[in-house]
């Protein structure tokens, strides 16, 4: 935390960025002994075990968060944890990840906490892209879309109907009542049609800009 305060007060750091953009990525390291999060992945650790250090770095090249996670877990599960638990004076508004650092549900979580997720998606044509539909507002139905394959729909009316559930998620995340990683794991384990999971999944489908 002290490092970030010093970095923000150095005028040179402003040439790198204003401290509102950050990125995160994981690095895998082999371990020895009995480590709780250590897992076996032959590709990275041979016949041994290892862990992943998932680190968050601001556009001023200061690190404001790091977490040790199991290398078998998807990075995206832990992206939002360090951003919301950030105790530095950095006001992170946008965050960038690679393909391993995103899930559809993570897009919804970022939107609920009023932040922007910038993911470098590999094979965009293979991703689940959605159009917006509404039975009460034709303006959404008349939107123009790029020539890509759309396989889903974002139902605006359904989201409005379940807005109170999404507001509860937003409040819980921003107040620290629950971590994003824990809630994400719980929602992914629930049936798709439960009262909270269904609107979250609907909201998480990625519409593209026209």
């Amino acid at each position: 935390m002290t490092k970030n305060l010093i970095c923000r007060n150095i005028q040179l750091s402003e040439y790198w960025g204003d401290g509102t953009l950050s990125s995160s990525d994981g690095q895998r390291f082999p371990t020895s002994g009995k480590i709780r999060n250590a897992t076996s992945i032959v590709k990275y650790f041979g016949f041994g075990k290892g862990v992943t250090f998932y680190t968050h770095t601001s556009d001023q090249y200061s690190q404001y968060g790091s977490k040790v996670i199991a290398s078998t877990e998807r990075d995206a599960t832990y992206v939002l944890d360090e951003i919301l638990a950030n105790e530095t004076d950095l006001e992170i508004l946008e965050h960038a990840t690679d393909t391993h650092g995103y899930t559809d549900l993570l897009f919804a979580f970022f939107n609920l906490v009023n932040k922007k997720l910038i993911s470098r998606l590999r094979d965009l044509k293979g991703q689940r892209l959605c159009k917006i539909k509404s039975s009460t507002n034709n303006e959404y139905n008349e939107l123009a879309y790029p020539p890509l394959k759309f396989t889903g729909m974002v139902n605006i009316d359904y989201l409005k109907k379940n807005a109170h559930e999404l507001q509860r998620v937003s409040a819980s995340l921003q107040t620290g009542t629950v971590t994003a990683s824990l809630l994400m794991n719980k929602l992914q384990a629930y049936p798709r049609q439960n009262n909270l999971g269904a609107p979250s999944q609907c909201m998480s489908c990625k519409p593209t800009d026209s």
Side-chain angles (χ1 to χ4, degrees), residues 15 17 23 76 94 99 108 150 162:
Y15 288 95
S23 62
E94 297 179 299
T99 302
F150 293 87
N162 293 276

Side-chain angles (χ1 to χ4, degrees), residues 105 158 187 190-203:
L105 193 56
Y158 183 71
L187 287 178
Y190 288 163
R192 290 181 61 87
Q193 297 305 316
N194 74 85
N195 290 337
L196 181 57
S200 298
Q201 291 290 344
C202 177
M203 185 177 182

Side-chain angles (χ1 to χ4, degrees), residues 13 17 21 29 53 63 85-86 162 174:
S13 66
L21 172 66
F29 295 94
F53 278 80
Q63 293 183 355
N86 172 27
N162 293 276
Q174 294 186 74

Side-chain angles (χ1 to χ4, degrees), residues 6-27:
I6 295 174
C7 185
R8 288 295 302 276
N9 290 328
I10 297 177
Q11 188 174 6
L12 180 62
S13 66
E14 298 178 358
Y15 288 95
W16 299 328
D18 60 4
T20 61
L21 172 66
S22 66
S23 62
S24 58
D25 201 4
Q27 290 180 292

Side-chain angles (χ1 to χ4, degrees), residues 134-149:
S134 172
S135 59
T136 59
N137 191 336
N138 287 329
E139 181 180 349
Y140 292 114
N141 301 326
E142 296 174 356
L143 293 175
Y145 294 91
L148 295 172
K149 183 179 180 181

Side-chain angles (χ1 to χ4, degrees), residues 62-79:
S62 58
Q63 293 183 355
Y64 65 89
S66 185
K67 178 176 288 190
V68 179
I69 64 175
S71 296
T72 51
E73 294 188 83
R74 191 175 179 89
D75 294 351
T77 306
Y78 299 92
V79 169

Side-chain angles (χ1 to χ4, degrees), residues 3 13 17 23 44 46 56 59 74 78 91 99-100 106 111 129 138 141 149 159 165-167 176 183 190 198 210:
K3 178 181 177 182
S13 66
S23 62
Y44 300 109
H56 289 61
D59 57 1
R74 191 175 179 89
Y78 299 92
E91 185 182 359
T99 302
H100 292 284
L106 187 60
N111 187 274
L129 303 178
N138 287 329
N141 301 326
K149 183 179 180 181
L159 291 178
E165 295 288 355
L166 297 175
Q167 289 171 349
L183 184 56
Y190 288 163
S210 58

